[in-house]
Amino acid sequence: MFEPILTRNIHRPNSEKIATYLAHGGYAAVKLALTKTPDELIEMVKRSGLRGRGGAGFPAGVKWGYMPKGAGIQKFVAVNTDEGEPGTFKDREIVERDPHQVIEGVIIAAYAVGASRAYVYIRGEFFLGVKRWIKAIADAYEYGFLGRNILGSGFDLDMSVHRGAGAYICGEETAMLESLEGKRGNPRLKPPYPAQAGLFGLPTLVHNIETLACIPHIVERGPEWFASIGTAESKGPKIFSVSGHVNRPGNYELPLGVTLREIIYEHAGGIRGGRELKAVIPGGASTPMLTASQIDVPMAYETLKAAGSELGTGAIVVLDVTTCMVETARRLTKFFAHESCGRCTPCRIGSQRLYETLDRIESGKGTMDDIDRAVELARGIDGITFCPMGAMLVNPARSAIQHFRPEFEYHILNKHCLVCKSKERNYG
Amino acid sequence: MRNPQSAIENPKSRAMLLAALYIAQEQYGWLNPEAIRRVADRLNLTEGQVRSTASFYTLFKLEPQGRYRIQVCEGLSCYLVGGAEPMMDFISKKLKIKPGETTPDGKFTLEVVECLAACDLAPALKVNDELYGQMTAEKIDALLEELRNV
Ligand SMILES: Cc1cc2nc3c(=O)[nH]c(=O)nc-3n(C[C@H](O)[C@H](O)[C@H](O)COP(=O)(O)O)c2cc1C
Ligand code: SF4
Ligand code: FES
């Protein structure tokens, strides 16, 4: 039986408090880390195989290694709590219920890369999360885990919280840096990467908070322990947010490599009303959907890629047979069209056109050409945009058409939906 | 440093802009011209810079708002379990306003929002900063009643 690691504290009463965290072995990893050299820590994170949990899956240790060495330059850590990928709600639970685990990870990361300041960027809507961050940081200062000469080691670190203000794109790391500088959240061109020139032009290590939450455990239990969990290319525990048509929506921490079937049917309690499964979005709204026949896929970076999708944030949205796939694609594309920062034309105009095309089909006003038009629009957006948003936003439409083309055709020929009539109606 | 054209010397003072806008919005209820002017003065920015930045972010309001902003999630997970538009229509009828509008007494503003990262509690909505999950017709009625009476 897999023992939860990242979520082991969250069901305890007052789990967000520093006293609770300390009572269960908290901050021991910082003490241990401060006895090691920064290079030893970077090596440990590399050996652990930890990959970023914010969506892109980049190896964390490699990113730490990209940070320039030496004490001569000011360096930063930026903590990404902007969670806005539809279907994803793991980071909200982490900050609200166990912020100290993340702070511990931040301290170790900052020490390893020689950063003197950590900036937390939190989604503006997370009001409770903001309060929890502020309190946790204040307590960490009081106990001497932040500030000058941490635990007598000579290492200094300051940490502060910055509230975003409602813009999905600010979760993209360079847009987040712009926002932290008090500007509109338009992504920057990469390279230079944040590790070279980040916040205020200085080297900045950006991480998602679930990634940072893994760090104390890697230090304490060792990289070999971490790498023993998971698959060949996907190591460690992962928090899967499960929502949609399941009996028990929620966050489930499981080893990477667990099958989608096990998550849906064992952990999330199966499909509501015992209905049949139709499709699954495996890694958040921007990842291509899979069909019911594909759910034996292990939830790992390499296996999902082979299945034509991505692990993304590990947020699973379960769609049963009553779901209209045209509407699903339309709704998700509407979201992305709305959240385009507007900087480059293929994303700004293309997403709008794609949405309008899907909207026409959904409302029974489409023509057969519209299906190919949607595919063509998606091809025109993917790969030529300024930031990865373009490649992400085409996935719902493209995968829905790929797997459920007859449903799009039905909409066009019959001017209404095949399944929507059975939609749940709870209000009036 | 990064932006020599900026009206300010120190980029770190500009970094206070979002925080300053939150404070101003709290004071004035919305970012009216006076609020924008005061933030601009304080941070040594132009009013244009402040307004342009504020308009990028949906949580900054450049129009007057009701005392209670009801934000209905129209994300996929909420839609799948009966939230989103049906829930919005239900509230809209009760308050007799459309999304984006404010009741004449200035009490309620109705708004559409994207995934609130509370999909496990779908269907979800927020009132100001407070999150409400697993909404039903009865719970919405009770909530509106409570807000009307405070
Ligand atoms: C459009 C877009 C939105 C993103 N949103 C988030 C987000 O909300 N939270 C997050 O941690 N990463 C987000 N990312 C990924 C970040 O750019 C970045 O890869 C990540 O924060 C790095 O941390 P990690 O290596 O720990 O994953 C987003 C990326 C894109 C392109
Ligand atoms: S791809 Fe979209 S979100 Fe990214 S920079 Fe271009 S317009 Fe902005
Ligand atoms: S879809 Fe409504 S909270 Fe995520």
Side-chain angles (χ1 to χ4, degrees), chain A residues 389-402:
Chain A
M389 173 86 146
M392 289 158 66
L393 79 88
V394 301
N395 282 331
R398 194 149 62 184
S399 59
I401 294 172
Q402 182 199 336

Side-chain angles (χ1 to χ4, degrees), chain A residues 34-45:
Chain A
L34 292 172
T35 66
K36 298 184 187 296
T37 67
D39 281 342
E40 277 170 348
L41 289 168
I42 295 175
E43 202 45 47
M44 283 174 90
V45 175

